[in-house]
Amino acid sequence: MYETVEQLGCVQIDSINVVERAHYLTLWARLGHYQKKHLEELAYRDRKLFEYWAHGNSYIPTTHYRYFTRDMKEREKELLPRLKKRTGKGKELVETVLKRIKTEGPLASKDFDTPRRGQGGWWNRKEEKIAMDYLFNAGILMVSHRENFQRYYDLTENILPSNTDLSPPTDEERAWFFIEGTLRALGAIQPREAREYYQSWCVKTGKTAKQIEAMLVARGEVVAVEVEGAQGPYYCLEGDASRLEELEDDFGFEDVNMLVYFDNYMWLRDRVRFLHGFEPKLEVYIPRERRMYGYYHLPILYGDRLVARVEPKMDRAERKLLVKGYWTEPGFKETEDYQDKLQKKLEAFASFHGAHEVEWLC
């Protein structure tokens, strides 16, 4: 599992659990059936992963920590002014929170008696929770563990392994780290995609797409490849170039898989549109009347094509996986092979979540 996270660079954490939370599903799409507790052990017991901003809030290998410290320091400079603006309090609030954590150990929002600042929602959180979030952004606090998905924060010095490399990378080293990470994860990329994989609002590389392309061209271990219909070249690591040629002759994957929109492969919407002719439609945040598909539907990968969408939901009481909706892409003709593989994948998906049955409602 660790090797998979390392290959991807990061795995996005999300709270929606219509079926299961997205980080578990991203790993399931690659690993199949696994013990979910192993992810928590890697992050909160072994400290081989840490939580921070990469593509949204993510699990990141702790060996990568040094490449995120510059963003932490920038956020530390903004901490008190932003906190004062949000809560009307600054240094005194930070000192109160840090004193309690130093005295009591890891704390969550529920450990503070201060009422919410309004009727609820992200903006109206407790002022101590806001302070802890900003201290987390600044690298002063880290996530110690989670209970019922709620974060518990502790001092970074108590969480980060003592042997973690904290030497600051140069600007070029740091930029190349995120570019190379995108290459390793996606195989072949266009320069702007290195600004989108690690989201620019999470990680500021300080490089424009043109500057990234210049770095790619200058690196001896990177080669340019042509992709039919693309505007401009794609680039890949030299070791992947021969693999791409092999895949062109024989893709080698004829199975069915299901992906969440929080999966690394689905992050770059323009890339998905171009490579698959598939229109990504994450619809959990839009009103029901505007949805084309289901609230939480999953794209279906068949071989090298995104061919359909399915809307699963867990009935935990009955231990069933319900299929509430199913839509094929224009031009896709279902075959017996595809239908058999889809059913088997749904059964494997159900088993992973502790369900004994798949029930189609559509």
Side-chain angles (χ1 to χ4, degrees):
M1 180 184 295
Y2 176 79
E3 290 77 11
T4 300
V5 180
E6 189 173 45
Q7 174 71 29
L8 294 171
C10 57
V11 171
Q12 187 175 1
I13 302 168
D14 192 77
S15 61
I16 299 171
N17 65 343
V18 175
V19 180
E20 182 52 278
R21 293 188 170 99
H23 37 289
Y24 297 118
L25 300 184
T26 296
L27 291 170
W28 175 83
R30 290 156 179 79
L31 301 175
H33 201 104
Y34 69 92
Q35 295 295 315
K36 287 179 277 190
K37 67 178 182 179
H38 291 165
L39 180 59
E40 279 73 41
E41 290 171 351
L42 283 173
Y44 309 127
R45 185 192 69 183
D46 303 336
R47 304 299 184 193
K48 290 187 175 182
L49 305 175
F50 73 101
E51 289 192 35
Y52 198 62
W53 302 107
H55 190 98
N57 189 42
S58 304
Y59 287 119
I60 307 165
T62 304
T63 54
H64 299 180
Y65 186 88
R66 62 191 287 253
Y67 296 100
F68 293 84
T69 55
R70 184 171 305 180
D71 293 293
M72 293 175 186
K73 292 183 184 303
E74 289 299 314
R75 288 166 181 146
E76 184 177 3
K77 295 175 186 176
E78 304 168 351
L79 193 161
L80 291 179
R82 292 188 64 191
L83 189 60
K84 186 82 171 179
K85 185 176 181 180
R86 276 283 298 276
T87 68
K89 299 179 181 179
K91 187 177 180 181
E92 68 276 19
L93 179 55
V94 167
E95 290 176 346
T96 297
V97 168
L98 291 178
K99 182 178 180 180
R100 282 200 57 185
I101 291 175
K102 288 175 183 177
T103 303
E104 302 173 41
L107 296 178
S109 176
K110 70 179 183 60
D111 295 311
F112 295 90
D113 296 329
T114 308
R116 286 178 176 268
R117 303 173 68 253
Q119 298 301 313
W122 184 86
W123 190 256
N124 298 314
R125 291 176 175 180
K126 296 176 182 178
E127 58 188 26
E128 292 90 352
K129 169 60 174 169
I130 296 168
M132 287 193 294
D133 286 345
Y134 284 170
L135 287 163
F136 165 79
N137 294 346
I140 297 168
L141 297 180
M142 293 182 73
V143 177
S144 165
H145 62 284
R146 288 177 181 257
E147 292 181 13
N148 297 321
F149 204 65
Q150 185 174 36
R151 287 171 167 179
Y152 280 73
Y153 292 99
D154 199 356
L155 300 174
T156 292
E157 62 202 61
N158 295 337
I159 300 296
L160 195 64
S162 59
N163 62 350
T164 305
D165 184 0
L166 298 177
S167 58
T170 66
D171 290 348
E172 293 301 296
E173 287 173 337
R174 183 173 172 276
W176 178 245
F177 169 81
F178 293 113
I179 296 167
E180 185 180 31
T182 307
L183 286 164
R184 284 199 314 270
L186 296 182
I189 67 168
Q190 292 197 304
R192 59 183 170 77
E193 293 173 347
R195 288 173 49 84
E196 299 169 5
Y197 187 78
Y198 290 92
Q199 281 181 325
S200 58
W201 64 269
C202 293
V203 174
K204 298 176 175 61
T205 63
K207 301 292 183 182
T208 65
K210 284 188 177 181
Q211 290 170 326
I212 290 171
E213 183 162 27
M215 292 183 72
L216 289 166
V217 170
R219 305 291 295 209
E221 67 268 40
V222 174
V223 297
V225 294
E226 291 185 11
V227 176
E228 185 179 351
Q231 293 184 348
Y234 277 68
Y235 297 88
C236 70
L237 293 170
E238 188 174 29
D240 289 334
S242 59
R243 178 66 177 140
L244 288 172
E245 291 179 3
E246 293 172 7
L247 291 174
E248 190 174 5
D249 294 332
D250 179 14
F251 188 68
F253 176 77
E254 298 298 332
D255 204 351
V256 166
N257 212 335
M258 296 184 295
L259 308 174
V260 289
Y261 283 110
F262 300 99
D263 187 296
N264 303 48
Y265 189 75
M266 299 300 297
W267 284 348
L268 279 59
R269 303 292 195 251
D270 288 343
R271 178 185 175 91
V272 170
R273 291 185 188 100
F274 172 68
L275 294 179
H276 293 282
F278 182 93
E279 183 61 39
K281 289 282 186 182
L282 178 60
E283 299 188 322
V284 296
Y285 304 117
I286 65 175
R288 180 189 299 271
E289 63 272 12
R290 289 175 51 198
R291 293 178 197 148
M292 293 180 63
Y293 307 102
Y295 168 77
Y296 195 68
H297 72 270
L298 309 183
I300 296 175
L301 183 70
Y302 180 40
D304 61 352
R305 299 170 60 196
L306 289 170
V307 300
R309 306 164 199 253
V310 63
E311 183 186 11
K313 179 178 174 60
M314 272 295 295
D315 182 337
R316 293 178 174 87
E318 297 293 328
R319 301 186 72 177
K320 291 181 180 180
L321 181 73
L322 307 177
V323 179
K324 297 179 62 180
Y326 176 73
W327 306 263
T328 57
E329 286 293 283
F332 174 63
K333 305 291 186 183
E334 292 184 293
T335 62
E336 186 175 340
D337 175 73
Y338 166 78
Q339 291 172 343
D340 288 345
K341 288 176 177 177
L342 174 60
Q343 185 63 28
K344 288 178 182 177
K345 184 60 66 172
L346 285 167
E347 290 168 359
F349 193 69
S351 175
F352 178 64
H353 301 302
H356 298 311
E357 181 182 349
V358 177
E359 181 177 342
W360 287 77
L361 304 179
C362 57

